[in-house]
Amino acid sequence: MIDTALHEVPARKGRAAELRQGQHIKMINTHGTQVIDMWALNAADLIEIMSMRHTKSCLKKMIPDEGEPFYTNRRRPILTWIEDRSPGVHDVVLPACDKWRYIWDGYEGFHDSCGNNLEESLRAIRRGPPPETPQPLNLWMNCPIREDGRIDYIAPVTEPGDYAVFRAEMDCIVVMSACPYDLGMPINGDDGIPKAVHYQVW
Ligand SMILES: [Zn+2]
């Protein structure tokens, strides 16, 4: 059945979508400036995951262009980047925020995190959790590497409604986290307020 309904990923939270091979998923930066941490896992074996490291190695470049796949840790295509309707600024270097990140930041008590959102999203569909938080594709995260090797954390350059479309190359689970980081750096925009995003599957 074709389901093109618009689904929400609430601000600070995550969602999982189960895709059959050949299906598409569209991630929409509804309000602009919101980073989505995104993972893809082989639905038949959650140990096989979309890997930024292996994708760089397979393609001999930092990030796929439209029409090129992301690869798994077994060097098999899992998602092809079909369309990137945005300025094309994404991060494929940094890890997801997780509870350890917020402890490291000195935050006291529970803070939503992309790592926790991955676990909760997989639990919600009775899968997972994974043994650790794999490195995600950080859609729209703007962390340029400077000439001296330092990394800047600056606001996304996306506009409301910018989107990205991917096609599943195997049956897979795509997990999206509307990154809840809000502790000073403008990762999710200069106002520092995490916002909801939306997605469609067909
Ligand atoms: Zn995050």
Side-chain angles (χ1 to χ4, degrees):
M1 192 178 85
I2 295 176
D3 171 19
T4 55
L6 202 57
H7 302 279
E8 184 187 54
V9 182
R12 313 176 72 89
K13 298 299 179 184
R15 289 290 184 270
E18 296 174 275
L19 270 63
R20 307 289 294 183
Q21 184 179 15
Q23 280 194 302
H24 294 75
I25 187 165
K26 178 179 183 177
M27 316 267 181
I28 304 164
N29 203 337
T30 312
H31 302 284
T33 74
Q34 175 62 45
V35 166
I36 300 177
D37 286 40
M38 177 182 157
W39 298 267
L41 306 90
N42 177 351
D45 182 357
L46 299 191
I47 299 298
E48 184 174 12
I49 53 173
M50 180 170 72
S51 165
M52 297 304 109
R53 290 179 297 160
H54 292 82
T55 298
K56 292 183 195 100
S57 174
C58 291
L59 293 178
K60 298 191 178 76
K61 60 167 79 167
M62 288 300 289
I63 189 166
D65 286 313
E66 286 179 345
E68 292 181 326
F70 287 88
Y71 288 86
T72 69
N73 49 348
R74 294 177 188 161
R75 297 181 186 261
R76 301 196 302 153
I78 187 165
L79 290 181
T80 293
W81 200 320
I82 298 298
E83 187 177 4
D84 182 9
R85 186 67 68 87
S86 80
V89 176
H90 311 283
D91 172 72
V92 290
V93 172
L94 294 164
C97 69
D98 52 21
K99 74 173 182 180
W100 309 109
R101 150 106 224 179
Y102 294 102
I103 290 170
W104 184 76
D105 268 331
Y107 189 84
E108 292 185 13
F110 176 79
H111 193 290
D112 288 308
S113 70
C114 291
N116 190 61
N117 287 343
L118 172 67
E119 284 191 34
E120 295 291 324
S121 300
L122 288 173
R123 277 207 188 90
I125 60 167
R126 300 181 185 283
R127 304 293 300 265
E132 61 167 41
T133 304
Q135 186 195 357
L137 166 60
N138 291 311
L139 271 180
W140 301 306
M141 188 164 168
N142 188 6
C143 292
I145 300 170
R146 303 192 317 205
E147 275 189 21
D148 66 0
R150 299 176 72 85
I151 300 173
D152 282 332
Y153 286 73
I154 55 181
V157 291
T158 34
E159 298 288 336
D162 281 356
Y163 64 83
V165 178
F166 303 87
R167 183 182 65 225
E169 302 302 341
M170 64 176 73
D171 293 354
C172 63
I173 301 168
V174 173
V175 181
M176 303 146 275
S177 170
C179 180
Y181 180 85
D182 59 356
L183 297 183
M185 294 186 293
I187 290 171
N188 293 305
D190 287 323
D191 66 4
I193 302 172
K195 297 179 178 67
V197 296
H198 291 80
Y199 68 96
Q200 290 173 295
V201 174
W202 69 91

